[in-house]
Amino acid sequence: MEADGFVRRRRMTSETAGGDAGVAGASAGAEVRWLGGRIWGVSESLVGSLSPRVGGETDIQTVQLISGPLEVADLSEPDYEGLPQGASTSTHMFAGAVAGIMEHCLMFPIDCVKTRMQSLQPEPAARYRNVTDALRRIVTTEGVWRPLRGLNATAVGAGPAHALYFACYEKLKKSLGDIIHPGANSHLANGAAGCVATLLHDAAMNPSEVVKQRLQMYNSPYRGVIDCVRAVWQTEGAAAFYRSYTTQLSMNVPFQALHFMTYEYLQEMLNPHRQYNPSSHVVSGALAGAIAAAATTPLDVCKTLLNTQEALVGGPTAGQGGGPHRHIRGLAHAFRTVYGLGGLPGFFKGVQARVIYQMPSTAISWSVYEFFKYGITKHQHDKKKAQQREVEK
């Protein structure tokens, strides 16, 4: 009887130890997964081997050995989730400027095609079936560098515009988020921050857009950026550089609201711990850009018309030399002109090129921005930790 009780006590002790080991193993496995897959293959094998095992002190010691180095790694190499919150405004501005310049420069040929395909009454030589056909014909008939005409104007404007854009967005997103939904992601705060950031972005970018789009048009009369700026200033005045500003805002405010809310929502789904995850930034950025671009194409068509002031649509006789060219002024005038010449389909001219442009464009912008923000902040963090170690010595 005593032997029987001894066996039962031994069995209960073994089961209790095994239960403790299972709990410790589950905790270690959760910690490994939380670290964002840094040792993904190791964590899967460890969790699988520890969970069903019924063991004693040997198993517990193994778990302690595993969990120890993980804690050390967490101190020496902090996860991405905590870094952006400490990023400075200068970091956001620098990362944003680099992202903006790379985004616009890499996608500039597609942007040239989009501008031409949004023309309401293009000349026969500038009528294209699709994006590929447009690029091929532009290169073969006008030269290999023609799709890049106006790139320098865009690069000059994109740097400061995106620096203000991302810095304002990050600051307002945090401030509004703390008010609206403290301690959690707020879609309302994201959308509102994106709208306000757009005001600064477009104020810096609009003159470059005017010059860039006039140089992109087929048979553009301007020799280059300086010639275009001088001609517009002399013939139409300084206000011409901001003639499309209200339309730009009317398009970009809803665009950026959709863009930021979609991006942040997809990040919640694909990257819930908000670690540095390039693939999630690319996918989220591309889908957010595509959705926002398709929804705001009608406003983009009107903006292009206001920027380019096509002579053939300026008045009933302008294209035939029967009267002076009548400038299109304001969003309402642009809407009436587009509808009168193309009907409802006219508002979606170039939608394919716009979506094709925006998907990689926003993917590049977000991935480059997140990369530089993470890299700069991590460098600053490591430098601060090294200084603290020197002081402690």
Side-chain angles (χ1 to χ4, degrees), residues 109-135:
I110 306 298
D111 184 60
C112 175
V113 170
K114 176 184 72 71
T115 298
R116 292 199 180 189
M117 292 184 76
Q118 287 179 338
S119 176
L120 294 174
Q121 290 186 346
E123 295 186 28
R127 293 174 182 170
Y128 313 110
R129 294 190 302 273
N130 51 48
V131 176
T132 305
D133 177 58
L135 275 175

mmCIF file of all heavy atoms in Angstrom, residues 109-135:
data_model
loop_
_atom_site.group_PDB
_atom_site.id
_atom_site.type_symbol
_atom_site.label_atom_id
_atom_site.label_comp_id
_atom_site.label_asym_id
_atom_site.label_seq_id
_atom_site.Cartn_x
_atom_site.Cartn_y
_atom_site.Cartn_z
ATOM 1 N N PRO A 109 8.680 58.070 -65.914
ATOM 2 C CA PRO A 109 8.186 57.726 -67.265
ATOM 3 C C PRO A 109 6.705 57.360 -67.284
ATOM 4 O O PRO A 109 5.981 57.740 -68.221
ATOM 5 C CB PRO A 109 9.064 56.530 -67.660
ATOM 6 C CG PRO A 109 10.313 56.705 -66.864
ATOM 7 C CD PRO A 109 9.866 57.267 -65.553
ATOM 8 N N ILE A 110 6.236 56.634 -66.278
ATOM 9 C CA ILE A 110 4.815 56.289 -66.214
ATOM 10 C C ILE A 110 3.976 57.536 -65.959
ATOM 11 O O ILE A 110 2.868 57.685 -66.492
ATOM 12 C CB ILE A 110 4.553 55.242 -65.112
ATOM 13 C CG1 ILE A 110 5.462 54.026 -65.310
ATOM 14 C CG2 ILE A 110 3.092 54.808 -65.103
ATOM 15 C CD1 ILE A 110 5.235 53.291 -66.605
ATOM 16 N N ASP A 111 4.510 58.448 -65.169
ATOM 17 C CA ASP A 111 3.807 59.702 -64.916
ATOM 18 C C ASP A 111 3.666 60.511 -66.199
ATOM 19 O O ASP A 111 2.633 61.158 -66.434
ATOM 20 C CB ASP A 111 4.564 60.508 -63.864
ATOM 21 C CG ASP A 111 3.843 61.778 -63.475
ATOM 22 O OD1 ASP A 111 2.700 61.680 -62.989
ATOM 23 O OD2 ASP A 111 4.402 62.872 -63.673
ATOM 24 N N CYS A 112 4.691 60.485 -67.037
ATOM 25 C CA CYS A 112 4.622 61.166 -68.338
ATOM 26 C C CYS A 112 3.500 60.582 -69.191
ATOM 27 O O CYS A 112 2.718 61.322 -69.812
ATOM 28 C CB CYS A 112 5.966 61.037 -69.058
ATOM 29 S SG CYS A 112 5.987 61.718 -70.731
ATOM 30 N N VAL A 113 3.398 59.269 -69.215
ATOM 31 C CA VAL A 113 2.330 58.604 -69.979
ATOM 32 C C VAL A 113 0.966 58.977 -69.417
ATOM 33 O O VAL A 113 0.022 59.263 -70.160
ATOM 34 C CB VAL A 113 2.540 57.071 -69.949
ATOM 35 C CG1 VAL A 113 1.331 56.352 -70.525
ATOM 36 C CG2 VAL A 113 3.803 56.699 -70.708
ATOM 37 N N LYS A 114 0.846 58.984 -68.089
ATOM 38 C CA LYS A 114 -0.437 59.339 -67.452
ATOM 39 C C LYS A 114 -0.887 60.739 -67.851
ATOM 40 O O LYS A 114 -2.059 60.966 -68.188
ATOM 41 C CB LYS A 114 -0.296 59.259 -65.933
ATOM 42 C CG LYS A 114 -1.531 59.695 -65.161
ATOM 43 C CD LYS A 114 -1.273 59.688 -63.674
ATOM 44 C CE LYS A 114 -0.372 60.805 -63.236
ATOM 45 N NZ LYS A 114 -1.038 62.138 -63.320
ATOM 46 N N THR A 115 0.050 61.679 -67.846
ATOM 47 C CA THR A 115 -0.287 63.060 -68.216
ATOM 48 C C THR A 115 -0.810 63.124 -69.647
ATOM 49 O O THR A 115 -1.812 63.797 -69.930
ATOM 50 C CB THR A 115 0.950 63.959 -68.064
ATOM 51 O OG1 THR A 115 1.360 63.971 -66.694
ATOM 52 C CG2 THR A 115 0.650 65.383 -68.504
ATOM 53 N N ARG A 116 -0.157 62.421 -70.555
ATOM 54 C CA ARG A 116 -0.589 62.459 -71.962
ATOM 55 C C ARG A 116 -1.918 61.741 -72.173
ATOM 56 O O ARG A 116 -2.745 62.183 -72.972
ATOM 57 C CB ARG A 116 0.486 61.831 -72.850
ATOM 58 C CG ARG A 116 1.752 62.656 -72.924
ATOM 59 C CD ARG A 116 2.573 62.257 -74.119
ATOM 60 N NE ARG A 116 3.802 63.026 -74.227
ATOM 61 C CZ ARG A 116 4.610 62.980 -75.272
ATOM 62 N NH1 ARG A 116 4.324 62.186 -76.301
ATOM 63 N NH2 ARG A 116 5.715 63.701 -75.309
ATOM 64 N N MET A 117 -2.120 60.645 -71.465
ATOM 65 C CA MET A 117 -3.357 59.891 -71.645
ATOM 66 C C MET A 117 -4.557 60.606 -71.035
ATOM 67 O O MET A 117 -5.704 60.288 -71.355
ATOM 68 C CB MET A 117 -3.208 58.488 -71.051
ATOM 69 C CG MET A 117 -2.222 57.616 -71.808
ATOM 70 S SD MET A 117 -2.109 55.921 -71.186
ATOM 71 C CE MET A 117 -3.614 55.217 -71.842
ATOM 72 N N GLN A 118 -4.324 61.583 -70.174
ATOM 73 C CA GLN A 118 -5.411 62.368 -69.614
ATOM 74 C C GLN A 118 -5.773 63.569 -70.490
ATOM 75 O O GLN A 118 -6.707 64.302 -70.172
ATOM 76 C CB GLN A 118 -5.038 62.848 -68.205
ATOM 77 C CG GLN A 118 -5.068 61.738 -67.167
ATOM 78 C CD GLN A 118 -4.674 62.201 -65.784
ATOM 79 O OE1 GLN A 118 -4.000 63.223 -65.624
ATOM 80 N NE2 GLN A 118 -5.071 61.464 -64.769
ATOM 81 N N SER A 119 -5.034 63.750 -71.575
ATOM 82 C CA SER A 119 -5.357 64.832 -72.510
ATOM 83 C C SER A 119 -6.746 64.601 -73.106
ATOM 84 O O SER A 119 -7.070 63.507 -73.562
ATOM 85 C CB SER A 119 -4.302 64.884 -73.631
ATOM 86 O OG SER A 119 -4.640 65.857 -74.577
ATOM 87 N N LEU A 120 -7.577 65.648 -73.099
ATOM 88 C CA LEU A 120 -8.966 65.493 -73.552
ATOM 89 C C LEU A 120 -9.094 65.417 -75.065
ATOM 90 O O LEU A 120 -9.946 64.704 -75.593
ATOM 91 C CB LEU A 120 -9.807 66.660 -73.013
ATOM 92 C CG LEU A 120 -9.972 66.690 -71.492
ATOM 93 C CD1 LEU A 120 -10.688 67.957 -71.055
ATOM 94 C CD2 LEU A 120 -10.741 65.462 -71.011
ATOM 95 N N GLN A 121 -8.276 66.174 -75.786
ATOM 96 C CA GLN A 121 -8.309 66.148 -77.249
ATOM 97 C C GLN A 121 -6.878 66.049 -77.780
ATOM 98 O O GLN A 121 -6.324 67.022 -78.300
ATOM 99 C CB GLN A 121 -9.004 67.400 -77.789
ATOM 100 C CG GLN A 121 -10.499 67.426 -77.522
ATOM 101 C CD GLN A 121 -11.192 68.605 -78.179
ATOM 102 O OE1 GLN A 121 -10.555 69.557 -78.631
ATOM 103 N NE2 GLN A 121 -12.500 68.542 -78.254
ATOM 104 N N PRO A 122 -6.267 64.882 -77.626
ATOM 105 C CA PRO A 122 -4.870 64.731 -78.055
ATOM 106 C C PRO A 122 -4.733 64.749 -79.573
ATOM 107 O O PRO A 122 -5.657 64.405 -80.305
ATOM 108 C CB PRO A 122 -4.484 63.361 -77.486
ATOM 109 C CG PRO A 122 -5.774 62.610 -77.424
ATOM 110 C CD PRO A 122 -6.820 63.621 -77.093
ATOM 111 N N GLU A 123 -3.572 65.145 -80.012
ATOM 112 C CA GLU A 123 -3.277 65.093 -81.436
ATOM 113 C C GLU A 123 -3.184 63.625 -81.870
ATOM 114 O O GLU A 123 -2.920 62.746 -81.065
ATOM 115 C CB GLU A 123 -1.962 65.821 -81.718
ATOM 116 C CG GLU A 123 -2.026 67.317 -81.413
ATOM 117 C CD GLU A 123 -0.760 68.037 -81.826
ATOM 118 O OE1 GLU A 123 -0.089 67.561 -82.783
ATOM 119 O OE2 GLU A 123 -0.431 69.059 -81.211
ATOM 120 N N PRO A 124 -3.415 63.348 -83.152
ATOM 121 C CA PRO A 124 -3.417 61.941 -83.623
ATOM 122 C C PRO A 124 -2.145 61.173 -83.251
ATOM 123 O O PRO A 124 -2.212 59.984 -82.934
ATOM 124 C CB PRO A 124 -3.554 62.085 -85.132
ATOM 125 C CG PRO A 124 -4.274 63.380 -85.318
ATOM 126 C CD PRO A 124 -3.786 64.285 -84.229
ATOM 127 N N ALA A 125 -1.000 61.847 -83.267
ATOM 128 C CA ALA A 125 0.263 61.160 -82.962
ATOM 129 C C ALA A 125 0.414 60.880 -81.475
ATOM 130 O O ALA A 125 1.337 60.157 -81.080
ATOM 131 C CB ALA A 125 1.444 61.996 -83.452
ATOM 132 N N ALA A 126 -0.458 61.460 -80.660
ATOM 133 C CA ALA A 126 -0.353 61.280 -79.203
ATOM 134 C C ALA A 126 -1.557 60.534 -78.633
ATOM 135 O O ALA A 126 -1.941 60.742 -77.489
ATOM 136 C CB ALA A 126 -0.195 62.636 -78.526
ATOM 137 N N ARG A 127 -2.145 59.690 -79.453
ATOM 138 C CA ARG A 127 -3.253 58.854 -78.984
ATOM 139 C C ARG A 127 -2.734 57.427 -78.809
ATOM 140 O O ARG A 127 -2.299 56.801 -79.762
ATOM 141 C CB ARG A 127 -4.409 58.898 -79.985
ATOM 142 C CG ARG A 127 -5.062 60.277 -80.060
ATOM 143 C CD ARG A 127 -6.111 60.362 -81.149
ATOM 144 N NE ARG A 127 -6.679 61.712 -81.213
ATOM 145 C CZ ARG A 127 -7.471 62.139 -82.172
ATOM 146 N NH1 ARG A 127 -7.815 61.319 -83.168
ATOM 147 N NH2 ARG A 127 -7.943 63.380 -82.158
ATOM 148 N N TYR A 128 -2.818 56.927 -77.584
ATOM 149 C CA TYR A 128 -2.202 55.657 -77.247
ATOM 150 C C TYR A 128 -3.246 54.654 -76.769
ATOM 151 O O TYR A 128 -4.258 55.023 -76.170
ATOM 152 C CB TYR A 128 -1.144 55.857 -76.153
ATOM 153 C CG TYR A 128 -0.207 57.009 -76.415
ATOM 154 C CD1 TYR A 128 -0.266 58.169 -75.627
ATOM 155 C CD2 TYR A 128 0.719 56.957 -77.445
ATOM 156 C CE1 TYR A 128 0.588 59.232 -75.863
ATOM 157 C CE2 TYR A 128 1.579 58.018 -77.690
ATOM 158 C CZ TYR A 128 1.505 59.162 -76.897
ATOM 159 O OH TYR A 128 2.343 60.218 -77.145
ATOM 160 N N ARG A 129 -2.970 53.374 -77.049
ATOM 161 C CA ARG A 129 -3.899 52.309 -76.642
ATOM 162 C C ARG A 129 -3.767 51.983 -75.158
ATOM 163 O O ARG A 129 -4.757 51.741 -74.491
ATOM 164 C CB ARG A 129 -3.651 51.048 -77.481
ATOM 165 C CG ARG A 129 -3.976 51.203 -78.970
ATOM 166 C CD ARG A 129 -3.943 49.851 -79.665
ATOM 167 N NE ARG A 129 -2.642 49.194 -79.532
ATOM 168 C CZ ARG A 129 -1.628 49.390 -80.360
ATOM 169 N NH1 ARG A 129 -1.752 50.214 -81.387
ATOM 170 N NH2 ARG A 129 -0.484 48.752 -80.185
ATOM 171 N N ASN A 130 -2.544 51.946 -74.668
ATOM 172 C CA ASN A 130 -2.293 51.613 -73.264
ATOM 173 C C ASN A 130 -0.926 52.151 -72.856
ATOM 174 O O ASN A 130 -0.244 52.820 -73.657
ATOM 175 C CB ASN A 130 -2.379 50.096 -73.044
ATOM 176 C CG ASN A 130 -1.527 49.321 -74.038
ATOM 177 O OD1 ASN A 130 -0.357 49.633 -74.259
ATOM 178 N ND2 ASN A 130 -2.123 48.311 -74.666
ATOM 179 N N VAL A 131 -0.523 51.847 -71.648
ATOM 180 C CA VAL A 131 0.729 52.380 -71.113
ATOM 181 C C VAL A 131 1.937 51.877 -71.900
ATOM 182 O O VAL A 131 2.837 52.652 -72.248
ATOM 183 C CB VAL A 131 0.872 52.006 -69.623
ATOM 184 C CG1 VAL A 131 2.223 52.457 -69.070
ATOM 185 C CG2 VAL A 131 -0.261 52.619 -68.812
ATOM 186 N N THR A 132 1.958 50.584 -72.201
ATOM 187 C CA THR A 132 3.096 50.012 -72.933
ATOM 188 C C THR A 132 3.214 50.613 -74.322
ATOM 189 O O THR A 132 4.312 50.970 -74.782
ATOM 190 C CB THR A 132 2.941 48.482 -73.036
ATOM 191 O OG1 THR A 132 2.775 47.936 -71.728
ATOM 192 C CG2 THR A 132 4.161 47.857 -73.691
ATOM 193 N N ASP A 133 2.088 50.740 -75.005
ATOM 194 C CA ASP A 133 2.080 51.335 -76.345
ATOM 195 C C ASP A 133 2.557 52.780 -76.289
ATOM 196 O O ASP A 133 3.321 53.229 -77.157
ATOM 197 C CB ASP A 133 0.672 51.265 -76.925
ATOM 198 C CG ASP A 133 0.571 51.941 -78.288
ATOM 199 O OD1 ASP A 133 1.307 51.531 -79.202
ATOM 200 O OD2 ASP A 133 -0.242 52.890 -78.428
ATOM 201 N N ALA A 134 2.142 53.520 -75.276
ATOM 202 C CA ALA A 134 2.547 54.916 -75.150
ATOM 203 C C ALA A 134 4.056 55.036 -74.939
ATOM 204 O O ALA A 134 4.723 55.840 -75.619
ATOM 205 C CB ALA A 134 1.804 55.567 -73.989
ATOM 206 N N LEU A 135 4.609 54.253 -74.033
ATOM 207 C CA LEU A 135 6.051 54.311 -73.789
ATOM 208 C C LEU A 135 6.850 53.943 -75.033
ATOM 209 O O LEU A 135 7.844 54.604 -75.372
ATOM 210 C CB LEU A 135 6.418 53.374 -72.631
ATOM 211 C CG LEU A 135 6.281 53.919 -71.208
ATOM 212 C CD1 LEU A 135 6.568 52.834 -70.193
ATOM 213 C CD2 LEU A 135 7.191 55.116 -70.991
#
